[in-house]
Amino acid sequence: MDSAGRNGPPEETLDPADWSSVRALSHRIVDDAVGYIRDVRDRPAWREMPAEVRAFFRTPLPTASTALEDVYRDVADKVMPYPMGNIHPRFWAWYMGSGNFTGALGDFLAAVQGSNLGGGSHAAALLDGQVVDWCKEMLGFPASASGTLVSGGSMANLIGLTVARNVKAGVDVREHGVSAMPKPLRFYGSDQLHSCHRKAMESLGLGDRALRRIKTDGERRIDIGALAAAIGEDRESGLQPACIIATAGTVNTGAIDDLQGLADLAAREGLWLHVDGCIGALVAIAPENRHRVAGIERADSIALDPHKWLHAPFEAGCALVRDASAHRGAFAVTPEYLETAPRGLASGDWLYEYGLQTTRGFRALKIWMALKEHGVEKFGRLIDQNIAQGRYLTGLIAAHPHLELVAPTSINIVCFRYRRPDLENSRLKDINVEIMLRLQEEGLAVLSDTTIRGEHCLRVAITNHRTREADLDLLVGEIVRLGTAFAP
Ligand SMILES: Cc1ncc(COP(=O)(O)O)c(C=O)c1O
C-alpha cells in the first residue's frame, strides 16, 4: 500500500522527480543553443560523420531510464555537430531557409504549451488564424479568403490542387470518386514545375499524365501561347481543362511565370489558377522586387513556404484559398466526436477542416514571434538582400573567364559551371560534381547541382540571412582553385 492508501505499483508520470535539476540543465541547454547559433560561421558548412557516430544511431531501443543529462550529452556530442548545415552562411543547396533563434524559442514554447491546433477555443488557435491572415495580407490576398498552416510547400500545393480538382470535377468527387467525373481533368504547368505536383496528381487519383508540362521561354517562364494552344487541343479532344499551376520562383532557376498573363488566360478559359509560390510568393513583401510577382493576388489558391524566405524553423508551409467555402468543402467532415459546442473549448473553429491532418502542431508560434520581433519590413529587406546577392554572384561569374552562366538569373538562384576552353564538354559534369563534393567535404560551402535543358550545372540558391558578399567572393575563388586542381 502506498502513502495514499493505494495498492499495486506506484503511479508514474513523465514529469521529473526533481524540477530544480531539470531547470539547471535547461538553462545550460539554452546557453549552448545561443552559442551554437552565434558561432555557426566558425564551424564547417557540412562535415562527414565518423563511423562511431553512424554506429551510435544503430543502438537498440532503450528499455530502462537514462539520466536526462546523459541523454543531452549524446545529443550534444553526436547530433549537434553534424547538422544538414542550412543555418550556415555558406549553405546554398536545393532551397531552404536558414532558421532563426526566435523561431526556435517559438517551437520550444509551442511544445511546452502543447496545444493541438486541430481547433478549439484557445489562444493558440486564434494565433494560428492570425498568422494565416498575415500571410494573406503579405500577398495582397482578400481577407475573406481562407488558409491553413501545413508542414511545407508540398502539402500546401496538395491542398490547393485538391480544392481545384473538387471544384472543377463536374461531380461530387468526395462522394463518388474520380471515376465518376464526366470528363477527365487536365492540369497545366511549365516544364520547370516542382516534383511535388506530380505526387499531388498521383495522390488525387488524376495521374501524372493529367498534368501537362508546357514548354518555357528563354527566361524559363511558361510559354503562355503554347499553354493556350494546349488548352484548346484538350477541349477539342473531349478533356476538361481544369487548372493552371503558375510558378512564382521555379526550383531550378527561380523563374517567375507571367502571373498577370496567366490570370487573364485562366479567367478567359474558366480555369482555376493555383500559384506555387513556395520560393517566390514572399517576394511580394520585398520593396525592390515585389513588381516581379504582381498578379499573385488574382490566384484562386496559393502555396507559400514560411520555412523558406521567412526562415521559420521547419516545418511551416501555408495554403491560401480565395473561396473559403470551397476550401472547407474539400476537407470538412464532422464526426460525432468533434461537434461544435455552444460554449467552452469546443466552441472555437475546427481548423482541421481545412486540410488533411486532424491533430495539428502549433507551428504558427515560431512564425508569429519572428514577425513580431523583426516586423515584415525587415523580412522584405532580407529578401531584397538575397536577390541583390544573386545578382552580385551572377556578376562575378560573368566576369570570370573560367566560369559560365547556364541560365539567366531571375532572383536568388544562380546556375553556372566551371568551364575552360581547353576542357572537353564530356568532362565538365565530372569536374563540376567533384568541385561541389569537395566544397562540402572541406566544409567551405554547400551547393547543389541540376540539369537545365540538357546542361549540367552547379546551383546556388541564396535563401540565407547570414550570407555576406564576402562569402560569395570566397565561393568563386574556391571553385576556381578546385577546378584548376582537378584539371590542371
Ligand atoms: C517551387 C517549389 N514548390 C514546392 C516545393 C516543396 O516545398 P517543401 O519542400 O516545403 O515541401 C519547393 C521546395 O523547394 C519548391 O521549390
Side-chain angles (χ1 to χ4, degrees), residues 2-79:
D2 66 16
S3 57
R6 281 181 65 261
N7 285 319
E11 290 173 303
E12 294 192 287
T13 169
L14 294 176
D15 285 338
D18 171 15
W19 282 104
S20 63
S21 66
V22 164
R23 172 179 306 197
L25 177 62
S26 303
H27 282 280
R28 209 176 95 212
I29 292 175
V30 171
D31 283 346
D32 290 353
V34 169
Y36 188 83
I37 296 194
R38 184 195 57 209
D39 302 335
V40 61
R41 182 176 276 285
D42 304 335
R43 293 192 299 273
W46 180 82
R47 72 174 87 168
E48 184 55 272
M49 288 170 281
E52 74 266 18
V53 170
R54 289 180 180 275
F56 178 77
F57 296 109
R58 291 194 292 271
T59 45
L61 174 70
T63 47
S65 54
T66 305
L68 182 57
E69 246 183 276
D70 295 337
V71 176
Y72 175 59
R73 186 172 326 113
D74 285 342
V75 174
D77 293 350
K78 306 280 196 317
V79 182

Side-chain angles (χ1 to χ4, degrees), residues 262-337:
L262 290 173
D264 291 343
L265 179 64
R268 256 193 332 268
E269 294 281 352
L271 267 62
W272 185 276
L273 177 65
H274 173 79
V275 176
D276 177 349
C278 290
I279 286 181
L282 285 161
V283 171
I285 62 172
E288 289 171 17
N289 288 282
R290 60 166 59 106
H291 62 276
R292 296 173 188 274
V293 293
I296 196 167
E297 69 290 348
R298 295 174 63 191
D300 293 298
S301 53
I302 307 176
L304 68 147
D305 237 358
H307 66 196
K308 292 188 167 65
W309 245 334
L310 289 186
H311 303 290
F314 305 134
E315 302 170 342
C318 179
L320 299 177
V321 182
R322 175 179 301 277
D323 178 345
S325 67
H327 185 184
R328 187 175 175 280
F331 297 104
V333 181
T334 309
E336 65 281 10
Y337 46 84

Side-chain angles (χ1 to χ4, degrees), residues 94-96 151-155 157 192-194 196-197 247-251 276-279 305 307-308 316-317 459:
W94 305 296
Y95 203 96
M96 46 192 102
S151 55
S154 304
M155 284 305 297
N157 279 311
Q192 298 298 307
L193 216 51
H194 190 270
C196 70
H197 295 286
T247 304
T250 59
V251 64
D276 177 349
C278 290
I279 286 181
D305 237 358
H307 66 196
K308 292 188 167 65
R459 180 180 162 284

Side-chain angles (χ1 to χ4, degrees), residues 421-448:
D422 59 313
L423 293 175
E424 281 177 34
N425 269 1
S426 58
R427 289 191 64 205
L428 289 181
K429 181 168 180 183
D430 288 349
I431 293 172
N432 279 279
V433 168
E434 192 57 30
I435 290 173
M436 175 179 78
L437 298 179
R438 289 293 285 271
L439 285 168
Q440 286 174 21
E441 285 161 352
E442 293 183 17
L444 289 167
V446 183
L447 342 173
S448 54

